């Protein structure tokens, strides 16, 4: 029966594509962290399939083909239908704190979205349960399909809108269902007829049912209610959906950090929204320099008053405001870096005329790259590096695991930026000012730490912090500030009613004058961080201000647990506003995933009791531990390596595509090899599972120690050569990681076949828990620890089924 | 009435089904309970705002304005819950506690000229009118401007002028104002509004997403025309634990 592996591969590809696609679609409709929670939990459909097969396998297995086809076609049809229905559930993330009913809607969403995953996993799980002797090759098909699916969906999302992709995913499920009947010529007509009908239904479904219905509270929708506002262009890719909006009747006037003393008008602007949120503006420039005078009245203009005709590196070009600002202030050379090629194309292509052909100006250059990687690879020196109101897309933009990971503001990132500065050059970072202060003080703490590490004589002489009512700008200079520069900064701030929060020698009386905070929090905080006992301040502060590192790249994690009792006393209206929702959602997801998994795993135990009686006592428990450990460990390593490869591969999308695909495909080859390994090892003293685990621990252990050095050694490679290098690095590890699952499942099939679907379900549950747990572990312990724990889990697994 | 999205309709339906018992309740009693709750919260917040409990006139105004007449029919049972509610067009009627806090921060006296940017449902407008000030209100969404006018007329606040326009430029013909209240934050404080504030005047702006006001910005113009701002948290919280 050759078609079964093909059907499994196609189905598995569609499932992985659906997972990424759903994250994409829900990021457009809702907010990312709730999308993350709902979709993570929906993947428990995998675990549920194991439970159902374990309970009903006597009824399902005799009709294997029909059951497989029902699962696969069910996946295809419900993938599309569940999304259409989910959009009609009136979930409003913003009302969660006010309205208990919202949690009910959230639960409904989760159940609805779990249906397609359940269908697909039912089909694949049945295949493994029905064909115990072919487990290795079937699992190979599953992994190869998933690997190619990841690559296909990321590529295709550049070409088609997500809703078209959804129909394609649905169609793939239906075709996978048809494939299992391909070797039964007698039924060809009926199968072809039904398949044709299902595909036609998917193709002809009105687009209106699938079109993303954005929450009316997302900023795109808030803008579109303005009279005559309309979308004039749209782009879509795995990095996000871009909507370009013009609003002629009520102009947009996007100018964060604009001085209250500003009198200059803001020229017409176009708003560019990513996934319906996070607006950046393209400002019209018709060659009249005076029309841009407002740019000099925003907080971001400060560094231009401390330098003369600087060479500028703008990290995060967005709508081009920082490039205009640099040109307005006569920058000699401007290198602007943008992550999203479609954003760059808008600025330098379709809207170039409106934007004043920014990149036709002599000395202005646009680069498409990840900011940090560009800074690391570029040899040029700059007088000014600007990072303004830019929140990292990270790998999460592709809809994968990471929740607010960012390598932009880590200690190592600061080192890279400072390395790129010319003598006397400055790094200027502007962020939104949140109250009570968090980001601004963490940035300051990071700068202090980095300057100390670099052996600065007196870090306090190289720092300056200024705030407006909604932004904070940190400037780190490569040398001590000169008195003339400090005078210029004071003048700039005074004229614009901004407050300097720190500069060398700043008297306390100058703090907190124009925009008055309850306490001069930033002045006091910066003094404490530079003082004799910074750690005491960090401990006493109620938010976590410890600098982020590449190993723990969670700049946006500010929450301390001891804050919780106090926040709960502040009541629903108050305390919740001070919580970091992304982090809370992670714990909520983990809690729910564990609770549901325990249920799903325990549910079929009674029924299995009788059937598993042929196996030694306690075997079921050992099987459970083995597959739990495996499910956790595989994703731990995969997630950690995606993160590790982002900087090497230069772009999160490249990293996700290359690393994910390589892991799955080479694990697939490993899985195929697992079918032959026991025969090859026959008569030797070492078992197949310990050998595989030994390989994993050996290779991953070496990478843990040597990967940074290896990346350094490979750094002269061009971008094109880095991809094959990454694949070569991943291949042996992934190959070994493909072995333990089919090796053990084959053993289970021989000893207690009834436990095969149960093990499949446990592995599914563990994968869901793993993705969430990996992020939490990385936040608290770092990615190195995540890999180390994964290796320990592999060793535990090998010991369990020794 | 504006067209409902299917999802909004379902939400309303759910509210209706779950709250049908409460709908018959006594609005006046619910309003009194709300005022009591806001009074308690007002005492707590003094740490962050310097306000030692709300001005009795502000509390009286909250106690007098029938909030249920400013929310969509189907949400009326929840009208006196101390929470923001959706009013369509992606807009909300603010949490009554925030309405009280913002109104209090303006330190209004009867007869003063007040500009409101963002009429919304008209509830905040009515609370201001209760304090005996002359309210000029601007709303950019035409349907909301119309319904707010209707709500204000129904509830007897006919002295309020509601204008359908872009609030960024304020209302120069009626300027200067003793107080300006902006009900939704923009990326910056519009300089024309600062210009239309009288010396000694106050302007208050909430900052944060819909359903969640994270802070309030109070703009004060001194007698000499100098401008300063204050940032206030709507909760009693300090980020640094001090040694005793």
């Amino acid at each position: 029966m050759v078609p079964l592996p093909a059907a499994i591969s196609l189905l598995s590809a569609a499932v992985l594509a659906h997972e990424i696609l759903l994250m994409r679609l829900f990021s457009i409709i809702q907010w990312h962290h709730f999308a993350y929670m709902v979709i993570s939990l929906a993947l428990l459909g995998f675990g549920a399939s194991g439970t159902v097969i374990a309970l009903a396998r006597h009824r399902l297995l005799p009709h294997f083909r029909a059951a497989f086809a029902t699962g696969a076609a069910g996946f295809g049809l419900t993938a599309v239908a569940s999304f259409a229905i989910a959009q009609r559930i009136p979930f409003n993330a913003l009302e969660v704190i006010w309205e208990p009913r919202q949690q009910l809607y959230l639960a409904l969403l989760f159940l609805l979205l779990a249906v397609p995953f359940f269908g697909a996993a039912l089909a694949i799980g049945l295949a493994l349960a029905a064909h115990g002797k072919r487990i290795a090759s079937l699992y190979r098909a599953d992994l190869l399909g998933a690997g190619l699916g990841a690559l296909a969906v990321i590529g295709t999302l550049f070409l088609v809108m997500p809703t078209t992709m959804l129909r394609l995913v649905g169609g793939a499920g239906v075709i996978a269902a048809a494939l299992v009947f391909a070797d039964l010529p007698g039924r060809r007509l009926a199968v072809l007829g039904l398949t044709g009908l299902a595909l036609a239904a998917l193709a002809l479904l009105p687009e209106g049912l699938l079109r993303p219905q954005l929450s009316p509270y997302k900023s795109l929708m808030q803008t579109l209610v303005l009279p005559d506002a309309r979308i004039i262009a749209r782009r879509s890719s795995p990095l996000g959906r871009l909507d370009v909006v013009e609003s002629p009747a009520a102009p947009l006037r996007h100018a964060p950090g604009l001085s209250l003393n500003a009198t200059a008008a803001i020229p017409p602007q176009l708003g560019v929204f990513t996934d319906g949120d996070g607006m950046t503006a393209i400002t019209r420039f018709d060659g009249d320099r005076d029309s841009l005078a407002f740019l000099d009245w925003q907080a971001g203009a400060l560094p231009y008053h401390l330098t003369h005709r600087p060479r500028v590196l703008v990290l995060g070009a967005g709508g081009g405001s920082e490039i205009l600002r640099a040109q307005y202030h006569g920058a000699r050379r401007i290198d602007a870096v943008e992550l999203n090629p479609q954003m760059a194309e808008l600025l330098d292509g379709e809207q170039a005329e409106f934007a004043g052909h920014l990149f036709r100006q002599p000395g202005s250059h646009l680069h498409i790259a990840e900011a940090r990687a560009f800074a690391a690879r570029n040899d040029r020196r700059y007088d000014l590096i600007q990072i303004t109101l830019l929140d990292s897309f990270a790998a999460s933009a592709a809809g994968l695991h990471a929740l607010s990971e960012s390598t932009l503001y880590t200690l190592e990132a600061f080192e890279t930026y400072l390395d790129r500065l010319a003598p006397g050059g400055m790094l200027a970072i502007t962020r939104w000012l949140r109250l009570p202060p968090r980001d601004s003080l963490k940035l300051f703490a990071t700068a202090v730490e980095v300057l100390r590490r670099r052996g600065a004589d007196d870090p306090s002489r190289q720092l300056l912090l200024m705030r407006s009512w909604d932004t904070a700008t940190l400037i780190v200079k490569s040398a001590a500030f000169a008195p003339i520069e400090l005078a210029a900064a004071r003048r700039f701030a005074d004229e614009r009613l901004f407050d300097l929060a720190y500069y060398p020698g700043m008297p306390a009386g100058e703090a907190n004058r124009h925009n008055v905070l309850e306490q001069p929090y930033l002045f006091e905080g910066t003094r404490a961080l530079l003082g004799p006992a910074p750690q005491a301040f960090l401990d006493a502060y109620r938010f976590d201000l410890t600098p982020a590192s590449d190993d723990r790249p969670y700049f946006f994690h500010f929450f301390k647990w001891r804050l919780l009792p106090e926040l709960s006393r502040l009541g629903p209206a108050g305390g919740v506003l001070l919580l970091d929702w992304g982090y809370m959602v992670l714990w909520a997801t983990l809690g729910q995933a564990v609770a549901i998994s325990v249920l799903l795993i325990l549910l079929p135990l009674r029924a299995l009791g009788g059937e598993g009686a042929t196996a030694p006592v306690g075997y079921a428990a050992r099987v459970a531990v083995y597959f739990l450990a495996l499910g956790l460990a595989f994703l731990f390593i995969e997630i950690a390596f995606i993160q590790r490869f982002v900087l090497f591969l230069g772009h999160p999308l490249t990293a996700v595509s290359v690393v994910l695909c390589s892991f799955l495909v080479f694990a697939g080859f490993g899985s195929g090899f697992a079918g032959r390994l026991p025969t090859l090892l026959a008569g030797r003293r070492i078992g197949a599972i310990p050998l595989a685990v030994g390989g994993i621990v050996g290779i991953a252990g070496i990478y843990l120690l040597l990967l940074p050095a290896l990346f350094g050694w490979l750094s002269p490679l061009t971008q094109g050569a880095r991809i094959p290098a990454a694949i070569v690095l991943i291949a042996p590890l992934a190959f070994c990681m493909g072995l333990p699952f089919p090796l053990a499942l084959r053993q289970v099939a021989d000893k207690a076949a009834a436990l095969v679907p149960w093990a499949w379900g446990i592995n599914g549950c563990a994968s869901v828990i793993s993705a969430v747990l990996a992020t939490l572990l990385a936040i608290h312990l770092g990615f190195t620890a995540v890999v180390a724990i994964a290796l320990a889990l592999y060793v535990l697994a090998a010991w369990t089924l020794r | 009435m504006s067209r409902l999205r299917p999802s909004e309709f379902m939400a309303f339906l759910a509210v209706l089904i779950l709250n049908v018992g409460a709908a018959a309740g006594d609005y006046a009693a619910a309003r009194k309970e709300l005022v009591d709750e806001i009074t308690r919260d007002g005492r707590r917040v003094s740490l962050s705002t310097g306000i030692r409990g709300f001005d009795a006139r502000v509390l009286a105004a909250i106690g007098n304005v029938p909030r249920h007449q400013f929310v969509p029919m189907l949400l009326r049972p929840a009208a006196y819950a101390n929470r923001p509610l959706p009013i369509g067009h992606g807009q909300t009627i603010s949490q009554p506690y925030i309405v009280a806090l913002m109104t209090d921060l303006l330190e209004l006296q009867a007869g003063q000229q007040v500009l409101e940017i963002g009429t919304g449902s008209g509830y905040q407008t009515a609370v201001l009118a209760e304090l005996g000030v002359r309210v000029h209100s601007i709303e950019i969404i035409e349907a909301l401007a119309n319904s707010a006018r209707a709500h204000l007329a129904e509830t007897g606040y006919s002295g309020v002028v509601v204008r359908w326009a872009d609030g960024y430029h304020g209302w120069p013909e009626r300027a200067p104002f003793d107080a300006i209240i902006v009900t939704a934050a923009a990326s910056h404080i519009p300089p024309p509004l600062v210009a239309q504030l009288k010396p000694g005047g106050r302007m208050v702006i909430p900052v944060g997403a819909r359903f969640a006001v994270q802070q309030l910005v109070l703009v004060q113009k001194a007698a000499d025309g100098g401008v300063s701002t204050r940032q206030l948290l709507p909760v009693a919280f300090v980020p640094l634990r001090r040694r005793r």
Side-chain angles (χ1 to χ4, degrees):
Chain A
M1 203 166 76
V2 180
L4 186 57
I8 288 180
S9 282
L10 184 61
L11 185 57
S12 180
V15 170
L16 205 119
H18 188 54
E19 194 182 321
I20 293 177
L21 186 61
L22 268 188
M23 196 63 123
R24 193 82 292 292
L25 283 164
F26 275 82
S27 296
I28 297 172
I29 298 167
Q30 286 286 345
W31 277 270
H32 173 256
H33 45 285
F34 283 101
Y36 174 87
M37 176 155 119
V38 164
I39 295 162
S40 296
L41 291 177
L43 291 175
L44 284 172
F46 268 85
S49 79
T51 308
V52 168
I53 303 171
L55 289 171
R57 65 191 201 100
H58 293 303
R59 264 172 286 166
L60 291 171
L61 288 181
H63 313 285
F64 167 69
R65 277 180 215 260
F68 182 95
T70 308
F75 161 79
L77 296 174
T78 58
V80 178
S82 63
F83 175 70
I85 299 169
Q87 289 216 83
R88 267 81 199 159
I89 293 179
F91 171 66
N92 176 11
L94 298 176
E95 273 191 282
V96 164
I97 55 170
W98 303 107
E99 182 59 81
R101 193 160 37 243
Q102 296 301 333
Q103 288 163 30
L104 185 75
Y105 294 145
L106 209 54
L108 267 177
L109 275 176
F110 142 58
L111 287 175
L112 196 60
L113 296 179
V115 173
F117 292 115
F118 172 77
L122 188 78
I124 297 171
L126 276 173
L128 296 177
H131 301 89
K133 302 221 181 311
R134 296 172 60 201
I135 278 173
S137 66
L138 294 182
Y139 195 58
R140 173 180 60 194
D142 178 37
L143 290 172
L144 289 179
L148 298 175
L151 211 55
V153 70
I154 292 173
T156 315
L157 277 174
F158 273 104
L159 306 173
V160 302
M161 284 289 161
T163 49
T164 309
M165 187 72 215
L166 187 60
R167 292 174 200 260
L168 293 174
V169 162
V174 170
I175 293 172
L179 275 178
V180 278
F181 294 106
D183 57 350
L184 286 186
R187 298 210 193 148
R188 194 159 286 164
L189 206 62
V191 170
L192 276 180
L194 280 173
T195 308
L197 266 178
L199 291 179
L202 288 173
L204 297 175
L205 196 72
E207 181 68 12
L209 288 176
L210 297 180
R211 194 175 298 129
Q213 306 281 322
L214 272 68
S215 157
Y217 307 105
K218 290 197 104 169
S219 50
L220 171 64
M221 303 309 278
Q222 298 274 303
T223 305
L224 288 176
V225 295
L226 299 176
D228 302 332
R230 65 189 185 100
I231 295 171
I232 58 167
R234 174 172 291 168
R235 299 283 185 281
S236 179
S237 83
L239 287 169
R241 188 179 100 175
L242 301 179
D243 289 287
V244 185
V245 174
E246 71 169 12
S247 177
L252 293 174
R253 305 184 192 100
H254 185 68
L258 186 70
S259 161
L260 286 175
N261 277 351
T263 49
I266 300 169
Q269 292 180 325
L270 298 173
V272 185
F273 296 82
T274 302
D275 288 338
D277 233 11
M279 185 179 100
T280 168
I282 302 180
T283 302
R284 192 186 71 190
F285 181 45
D286 54 10
D288 173 16
R289 184 175 174 275
D290 291 344
S291 73
L292 300 178
F294 81 100
L295 291 169
D296 192 39
W297 287 82
Q298 282 175 279
L302 171 64
Y304 293 102
H305 288 248
L306 313 182
T307 51
H308 178 66
R309 302 207 60 218
R311 291 160 293 174
V312 184
L313 173 60
V314 173
L315 296 180
S321 299
E322 285 314 310
I323 300 155
L324 267 185
R325 200 190 317 278
Q327 289 175 351
Y328 177 84
H329 289 96
R332 245 183 305 163
R333 180 189 171 97
I334 304 164
D335 284 303
V337 182
E338 172 55 43
L339 181 79
N340 189 338
Q342 293 183 330
M343 181 76 90
E345 189 270 328
L346 280 174
L347 198 59
D348 200 21
E350 191 177 287
Q351 301 302 334
E353 174 90 36
F354 185 89
H357 294 286
L358 289 176
F359 300 101
R360 275 196 212 157
Q361 310 296 326
S364 298
H365 308 273
L366 180 62
H367 310 269
I368 295 161
E370 199 268 338
R372 169 88 184 275
F374 181 87
R377 287 190 206 174
N378 185 3
D379 295 333
R380 218 170 267 283
R381 291 284 185 274
Y382 296 94
D383 305 302
L384 173 60
I385 298 178
Q386 277 269 46
I387 306 177
T388 302
L389 301 177
L390 171 75
D391 284 346
S392 163
F393 271 95
S396 59
L400 288 175
H401 325 288
L403 209 73
S404 60
E405 234 171 65
S406 167
T407 51
L408 205 57
Y409 304 113
T410 61
L411 291 163
E412 293 87 347
F414 271 53
E415 292 258 11
T416 307
Y417 305 145
L418 294 183
D419 282 344
R420 290 280 82 78
L421 290 179
M426 297 175 198
L427 164 67
I429 303 178
T430 298
R431 291 200 50 78
W432 302 107
L433 178 66
R434 288 210 285 166
L435 288 182
R438 275 159 270 186
D439 315 37
S440 42
L441 285 176
K442 190 180 275 198
L443 277 182
F444 197 88
T446 311
V448 172
E449 167 88 27
V450 168
L451 288 174
R452 284 197 177 125
R453 279 189 191 181
R454 292 167 75 90
D457 293 336
D458 183 359
S460 72
R461 296 170 64 199
Q462 295 174 240
L463 295 162
L464 190 149
L465 185 64
M466 184 189 76
R467 63 180 172 86
S468 71
W469 72 269
D470 63 347
T471 60
T473 301
L474 169 70
I475 300 186
V476 189
K477 200 181 163 192
S478 60
F481 279 103
I484 192 172
E485 290 165 339
L486 297 177
R490 280 202 300 271
R491 198 164 48 243
F492 176 88
D494 272 340
E495 282 171 2
R496 287 160 185 75
L497 302 181
F498 298 145
D499 286 277
L500 286 167
Y502 177 82
Y503 67 82
M506 179 173 163
E510 267 187 46
N512 217 19
R513 286 190 305 171
H514 303 296
N515 176 51
V516 183
L517 304 177
E518 216 45 42
Q519 298 277 331
Y521 292 127
L522 293 183
F523 179 74
E524 292 174 354
T526 51
R527 295 281 282 250
L529 287 167
L530 285 165
Q535 194 55 46
F537 171 75
L538 292 176
D539 292 342
Y541 206 74
R542 290 184 177 171
F543 295 97
D544 187 354
L545 303 179
T546 317
S549 65
D550 279 358
D551 197 43
R552 290 173 57 193
Y554 294 92
F555 178 81
F556 303 103
H557 175 69
F558 297 101
F559 183 73
K560 284 183 177 176
W561 279 101
R562 63 168 199 235
L563 195 61
L564 203 57
E566 184 177 356
L567 293 188
S568 58
R569 275 199 301 278
L570 290 173
V576 171
L577 301 177
L578 297 167
L579 281 179
D580 286 316
W581 273 86
Y583 181 70
M584 288 293 131
V585 163
L586 270 180
W587 278 104
T589 309
L590 182 68
Q592 294 172 76
V594 168
I596 298 170
S597 296
V598 168
L599 256 180
L600 289 174
I601 292 170
L602 293 184
L603 208 62
L605 263 191
R606 259 182 87 89
L608 289 174
E611 299 178 52
T614 49
V617 182
Y619 186 66
R622 287 195 283 134
V623 167
V625 171
Y626 182 90
F627 285 96
L628 206 57
L630 231 54
L632 290 174
F634 191 97
L635 270 183
F636 275 10
I637 291 184
E638 196 181 271
I639 291 168
F641 275 76
I642 290 177
Q643 200 278 330
R644 282 283 146 96
F645 275 80
V646 169
L647 289 177
F648 178 65
L649 290 171
H651 199 287
L653 267 191
T654 318
V656 167
S657 317
V658 169
V659 179
L660 192 56
C661 179
S662 305
F663 260 106
L664 291 167
V665 166
F666 285 100
F669 291 142
S671 174
F673 183 68
R676 290 191 288 141
L677 188 58
T679 325
L680 290 174
L681 289 176
R684 301 193 184 232
R685 288 185 57 188
I686 185 155
I689 292 175
L691 184 67
V693 167
I696 295 166
V697 173
I699 299 169
I702 289 171
Y703 286 170
L704 217 46
L705 297 174
L706 297 183
L707 211 50
L710 266 176
F711 284 158
W713 183 63
L714 293 171
S715 62
L717 291 183
T718 60
Q719 176 63 25
R722 281 169 188 243
I723 293 175
I727 295 172
V728 167
L729 284 172
I730 292 166
L733 176 61
F735 184 87
C736 292
M737 284 164 63
L739 293 165
F741 183 89
L743 282 173
L745 203 62
R746 180 62 216 276
Q747 196 196 95
V748 174
D750 289 342
K751 282 195 180 175
L755 294 181
V756 168
W758 190 58
W760 166 249
I762 291 172
N763 193 256
C765 290
S767 303
V768 175
I769 295 171
S770 176
V772 189
L773 194 57
T775 307
L776 280 169
L777 287 172
I779 287 175
H780 292 286
L781 304 172
F783 276 110
T784 304
V786 171
V787 175
I789 293 169
L791 299 184
L793 284 167
Y794 270 119
V795 172
L796 170 73
W799 178 77
T800 312
L801 284 195
R802 66 195 175 276
Chain B
M1 190 170 163
S2 63
R3 203 171 62 83
L4 281 179
R5 283 159 37 113
S7 61
E8 285 168 344
F9 178 72
M10 278 180 66
F12 287 161
L13 208 61
V15 168
L16 186 68
I17 293 164
L18 293 172
N19 288 311
V20 77
D26 183 0
Y27 285 130
R31 199 152 57 230
K32 186 173 176 315
E33 257 176 56
L34 174 65
V35 171
D36 291 345
E37 187 182 337
I38 294 173
T39 310
R40 285 194 299 275
D41 286 351
R43 287 194 201 107
R44 265 208 315 224
V45 86
S46 65
L47 187 59
S48 312
T49 59
I51 295 175
R52 297 198 182 280
F54 289 129
D55 185 332
R57 293 174 305 141
V58 172
L59 292 170
I62 301 275
N64 286 338
V65 177
R67 191 174 187 245
H68 65 276
Q69 288 187 258
F70 292 88
V71 304
M73 184 73 76
L74 293 164
L75 290 179
R76 283 192 176 180
Y80 293 101
N82 191 12
R83 54 158 295 191
L85 291 167
I87 56 168
H89 308 278
Q91 311 299 304
T92 49
I93 179 170
S94 303
Q95 185 191 6
Y97 164 68
I98 295 290
V99 170
L101 189 52
M102 288 176 52
T103 312
D104 199 299
L105 284 169
L106 292 177
E107 295 182 357
L108 297 171
Q109 300 300 327
Q112 286 185 326
Q113 292 264 17
V114 179
L115 174 66
E116 181 187 40
I117 307 296
T119 318
S121 66
Y123 176 69
Q124 170 78 67
T125 326
V127 171
L128 292 169
E130 268 291 325
L131 291 165
V133 296
R134 275 171 291 159
V135 190
H136 310 270
S137 190
I138 301 179
E139 172 56 54
I140 199 164
I141 300 170
E142 189 178 13
L144 283 181
N146 290 336
S147 63
R149 272 189 208 112
H151 292 150
L152 289 162
E154 278 165 26
T155 45
Y157 301 101
S158 43
V160 176
V161 197
V162 177
R163 180 180 181 184
W164 172 46
D166 180 3
Y168 188 85
H169 299 291
W171 200 323
E173 304 83 356
R174 303 283 173 96
F177 299 97
D178 297 286
I180 299 177
I181 184 165
V182 182
T183 55
S187 73
H188 61 275
I189 299 169
L193 298 185
V194 180
Q196 290 173 29
L197 207 54
K198 272 186 196 168
R202 296 160 82 90
M203 167 157 69
V204 67
I205 303 172
V207 181
R210 300 259 165 215
F211 296 97
V213 172
Q214 262 135 2
Q215 45 169 303
L216 299 167
V217 178
L218 177 67
V219 183
Q220 289 170 284
K221 197 183 249 186
D224 65 356
V227 179
S228 66
T229 52
R230 272 180 70 198
Q231 268 168 289
L232 310 164
L233 287 180
V235 290
F237 182 85
V238 287
L240 192 62
R241 204 183 291 266
R242 298 193 183 270
R243 284 195 210 103
R244 286 163 203 265

